[in-house]
């Protein structure tokens, strides 16, 4: 029981850090996908006869 009480704060902060990292990764993936879509539409608009 003492071991659990000693390890609990470490696990608590590790969980918070993991949630923050997951949030950042999701945000970056979403932003990157939107940016790639915007680039694709701009490229299509710039050379409409290339395909």
């Amino acid at each position: 029981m003492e071991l659990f009480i000693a390890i609990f704060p470490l696990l608590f902060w590790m969980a918070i850090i993991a949630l923050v990292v997951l949030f950042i990764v999701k945000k970056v993936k979403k932003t990157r996908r939107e940016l790639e879509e915007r680039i694709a539409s701009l490229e299509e608009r710039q050379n409409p006869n290339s395909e």
Side-chain angles (χ1 to χ4, degrees):
M1 192 65 178
E2 290 179 12
L3 181 64
F4 176 74
I5 292 172
I7 291 178
F8 181 74
L10 177 66
L11 295 176
F12 176 74
W13 287 112
M14 285 177 63
I16 289 177
I17 291 170
L19 288 173
V20 168
V21 168
L22 285 174
F23 175 77
I24 291 171
V25 167
K26 282 178 61 176
K27 194 86 165 161
V28 166
K29 282 185 177 179
K30 182 181 177 189
T31 305
R32 189 172 185 187
R33 188 182 39 189
E34 290 174 355
L35 187 63
E36 287 175 353
E37 289 173 359
R38 193 176 305 141
I39 289 172
S41 69
L42 287 173
E43 286 175 345
E44 189 176 307
R45 203 180 307 159
Q46 191 173 8
N47 343 326
N49 298 329
S50 63
E51 292 182 8

